[in-house]
Amino acid sequence: MAENAVDPITISVVQHRLFAIVEEMGEAMLRTAYSQILNSSRDFSTAICDLDGRLIAQAEHVPIHVGALPWAARSVSEFFQGDIHPGDVFLLNDPYHGGNHLPDLTAFVPVFEGARPRYWSINRAHQSDIGGATHGAYNAGATDIWQEGIRVTPLRLYEKGEIKRDVMAMLAVNVRHPRDFHGDLQAMIGSARIGERRMLALADEFGWTVTLAAIEAVLDGAERQTRAVIATWKDGVYKGEAFLDDDGHGIEDIHIRATVTKKGGNLKIDLTDSHPQVIGFVNSSHPNMQSAVAVALAYLIDPHTPKNDGTFRPLEVIAKPGTVVWANPGAPVTLCTNHCSQEIIEAIVKALAPACPDRAMAGWGRRFRIAIQGTDPRTDKPFIWHFFQARPGGGASPVDDGWPGGGEWQAAGGIKFGSLEVTEARFPLFFRQHEFRPDSGGQGRYRGGVGGIVEMIAEVKEPARANTAGDGVRHGACGILGGKDGAPHRYTLYSRGSRPRAIKTKEVGIVVEPGDRFVMESGGGGGWGNPRLRVADAVAEDMANGFITRSAKARNTAVKKPAAKKPVTKRRG
């Protein structure tokens, strides 16, 4: 059926129903997952793809997850071509078969039109553990992917509604907390099955012919909207560059360079001049790199444009295998969803900022994660806890300050920190302090969002162990168009009988003694525009809120009257 055979009202209804479906999938996941990383921090995403891997709809969860799903969907479709049945459930996590990184396990449930599989209902969720040499899924010491965890290539877990118990047992025995793994996986599958039922209900209401035609119209509409925005930017060739601190193995100042050619409604993103792949786990898998490019574009277009296959049709991506943005098979890549994803986004937005200054945001704070493994003395049970508190600051926009504690750029606020009270109830940890970090946001006409400060005591009775994974101790979030960079991270460990020491972003096997105190000060977002153009009232308000101190105020020369704001709303991916 031709697109014009479906009336605009039906197309709009189908578009909003698709979004409602993926949102409901996410709500089900949030309420049924076992692990705090999922049921509190929300490190999961839901989407619908077709059998060709086209992204049909996504919820507003974690952008870096979803942009890679087309490669995962194609991988499963191709591997099981002609052998997909109602009631089947498939899994995948391998970065070299469509995954982002190993902790992000993905569940696929097929949606059938009669005997023909049409769509995949998908849930991608970060596991609290995925095996490998270290607890908590991140191994800063890894030099190949086999040290990072179990690799799941396209795999059938349920066949025609029946679970394959041998496969489930094999997966669970490879992770450290099989009970949580079982529970989280069942939540993922349940979420995807909701998507299946709702898609079937949509098709039953409108009929498959109208539903399929309306979906094509939604994709085509997103393409038109995106090209219309890009067409307003100045044609030209633009360059941007971003840096990672290091790879944890002595390689420092790892560069990512983007050359962006904008012509009409098209963008060509060339990343071939990026640093050669490195030893450590900051390398990116190919699907993850493609996702980071898509995320960068999503942040520059209208926020109400649906993010689907049509949205990203204007993109042409050029990259080279063997570079940090597209590592050769076998390289470790676990940190890539944070870094180097964030730096890919940063390089592209920096490049395009002169072409669309009214849309380009400053850089968001970087990720610095800690995972602690030990025994809870209250229950004598083992635990693995992931640090999501003290979120870094969001980048300033062309119309407003950055979000305080907004998180990292590749998640754009989609990942939350869990309740401190719930954390203390579940884990042997005590939080003395959790508040915003003054002077951490980059100065600018609009200030970067401030980061946070956490002071935390480990209330274990036996030594625990911690691993770290992150970046941003040397390079803070980038300021843009004259704005200043945000402050970098500063994490410190205070252990009885030892001098306080800075915690590195990539460490394995940190001994955590009973009573050890962590002080984690996260970085702020970058500033947007010339700091001298900041409004005096805004500086006074920052002082009153504690976002800046008197010394920071003295560095600002603010105007007395507000400058007119541009008519653009703040954007999320």
Side-chain angles (χ1 to χ4, degrees):
M1 177 179 286
E3 176 185 328
N4 60 13
V6 183
D7 65 273
I9 293 177
T10 300
I11 294 170
S12 179
V13 169
V14 169
Q15 175 181 317
H16 286 86
R17 283 280 292 276
L18 290 170
F19 183 72
I21 289 168
V22 291
E23 283 287 299
E24 184 182 357
M25 291 166 65
E27 290 302 308
M29 179 67 177
L30 183 66
R31 286 161 172 74
T32 55
Y34 278 38
S35 298
Q36 190 182 39
I37 195 173
L38 301 177
N39 62 32
S40 292
S41 297
R42 302 172 181 240
D43 198 349
F44 63 82
S45 296
T46 55
I48 303 294
C49 287
D50 68 9
L51 270 287
D52 294 326
R54 296 186 305 165
L55 179 63
I56 304 302
Q58 62 166 302
E60 291 185 355
H61 292 141
V62 183
I64 198 64
H65 282 168
V66 184
L69 286 180
W71 280 265
R74 280 195 291 271
S75 184
V76 175
S77 296
E78 291 169 2
F79 192 90
F80 290 100
Q81 186 174 13
D83 190 21
I84 301 170
H85 312 282
D88 286 355
V89 178
F90 302 93
L91 300 180
L92 180 145
N93 79 339
D94 187 62
Y96 299 105
H97 288 82
N100 287 89
H101 65 171
L102 293 182
D104 287 338
L105 187 63
T106 310
F108 301 80
V109 171
V111 180
F112 278 78
E113 177 194 0
R116 179 179 179 178
R118 278 288 188 183
Y119 298 108
W120 293 115
S121 178
I122 306 173
N123 183 304
R124 174 163 285 181
H126 186 112
Q127 307 301 300
S128 62
D129 189 84
I130 201 67
T134 60
H135 66 273
Y138 289 89
N139 180 6
T143 57
D144 62 47
I145 195 171
W146 293 276
Q147 297 167 332
E148 296 189 293
I150 183 172
R151 299 175 66 181
V152 181
T153 56
L155 178 83
R156 195 195 315 263
L157 181 64
Y158 280 75
E159 185 167 14
K160 299 179 181 178
E162 295 294 324
I163 189 170
K164 302 175 77 171
R165 293 190 304 111
D166 52 345
V167 175
M168 186 71 228
M170 183 276 295
L171 293 171
V173 80
N174 274 280
V175 300
R176 290 170 176 81
H177 286 175
R179 175 186 174 274
D180 286 0
F181 180 81
H182 271 285
D184 291 337
L185 182 53
Q186 291 305 319
M188 293 169 62
I189 294 169
S191 165
R193 282 180 168 152
I194 286 175
E196 175 198 17
R197 291 198 297 271
R198 298 296 182 264
M199 287 293 291
L200 290 173
L202 176 66
D204 185 61
E205 179 177 345
F206 290 98
W208 273 104
T209 300
V210 172
T211 299
L212 294 172
I215 288 174
E216 293 303 319
V218 170
L219 302 184
D220 292 343
E223 179 183 5
R224 286 194 301 272
Q225 293 175 46
T226 303
R227 290 191 186 278
V229 169
I230 295 172
T232 65
W233 306 345
K234 184 179 178 181
D235 284 354
V237 178
Y238 304 93
K239 294 181 182 293
E241 184 176 54
F243 290 92
L244 292 95
D245 288 353
D246 63 274
D247 76 333
H249 294 267
I251 302 174
E252 297 183 340
D253 295 330
I254 301 162
H255 67 266
I256 292 171
R257 295 179 181 139
T259 299
V260 182
T261 303
K262 186 271 169 184
K263 186 175 182 180
N266 294 290
L267 290 175
K268 181 191 296 183
I269 313 293
D270 189 337
L271 300 171
T272 55
D273 193 25
S274 296
H275 199 286
Q277 74 179 65
V278 293
I279 300 169
F281 63 170
V282 301
N283 298 297
S284 179
S285 61
H286 175 262
N288 185 79
M289 175 268 291
Q290 293 279 359
S291 182
V293 175
V295 170
L297 175 60
Y299 291 165
L300 295 171
I301 62 175
D302 289 342
H304 299 299
T305 297
K307 309 306 185 295
N308 56 40
D309 177 78
T311 314
F312 306 116
R313 290 173 187 168
L315 284 174
E316 177 186 355
V317 181
I318 302 172
K320 183 169 64 175
T323 58
V324 70
V325 302
W326 185 356
N328 290 320
V333 295
T334 298
L335 193 58
C336 72
T337 53
N338 292 283
H339 307 288
C340 60
S341 286
Q342 180 128 334
E343 289 69 28
I344 295 172
I345 296 167
E346 182 177 306
I348 294 169
V349 174
K350 273 185 176 179
L352 282 170
C356 53
D358 61 333
R359 292 178 175 271
M361 294 182 69
W364 288 47
R366 302 189 175 195
R367 184 78 173 103
F368 191 167
R369 167 203 157 279
I370 297 177
I372 300 177
Q373 178 189 40
T375 300
D376 189 336
R378 301 168 297 184
T379 62
D380 288 329
K381 292 183 178 180
F383 72 90
I384 297 176
W385 175 75
H386 295 262
F387 176 66
F388 276 91
Q389 284 68 25
R391 306 296 287 158
S397 77
V399 297
D400 210 346
D401 297 337
W403 291 338
E408 303 85 24
W409 215 348
Q410 72 282 353
I415 295 178
K416 321 294 183 183
F417 68 80
S419 159
L420 299 186
E421 291 78 13
V422 172
T423 300
E424 290 174 336
R426 291 181 177 179
F427 303 96
L429 304 168
F430 173 66
F431 290 86
R432 284 185 176 173
Q433 179 186 18
H434 188 266
E435 60 187 48
F436 293 134
R437 179 187 177 189
D439 300 335
S440 55
Q443 297 176 44
R445 179 178 177 183
Y446 298 107
R447 172 188 44 73
V450 295
I453 303 175
V454 157
E455 182 180 359
M456 183 187 76
I457 309 298
E459 295 186 329
V460 293
K461 289 188 177 179
E462 300 175 358
R465 292 198 173 264
N467 299 324
T468 66
D471 206 74
V473 168
R474 297 174 58 214
H475 297 286
C478 70
I480 206 161
L481 296 171
K484 304 301 182 183
D485 292 353
H489 298 301
R490 184 169 59 203
Y491 284 24
T492 308
L493 175 61
Y494 296 83
S495 190
R496 187 177 303 170
S498 302
R499 291 183 177 181
R501 77 167 184 91
I503 303 173
K504 298 177 182 178
T505 55
K506 303 168 185 72
E507 287 195 64
V508 175
I510 302 170
V511 177
V512 181
E513 299 288 353
D516 275 4
R517 180 166 62 99
F518 292 82
V519 177
M520 284 86 88
E521 301 171 85
S522 65
W528 189 98
N530 187 342
R532 292 182 177 273
L533 297 179
R534 186 158 179 78
V535 177
D537 289 349
V539 176
E541 186 177 358
D542 286 344
M543 283 284 295
N545 288 332
F547 287 163
I548 65 172
T549 61
R550 195 165 299 279
S551 60
K553 180 182 179 182
R555 295 193 296 271
N556 269 310
T557 303
V559 298
K560 292 184 179 180
K561 294 183 179 180
K565 291 185 177 182
K566 296 181 173 67
V568 179
T569 56
K570 196 170 187 178
R571 290 171 178 77
R572 288 182 63 183

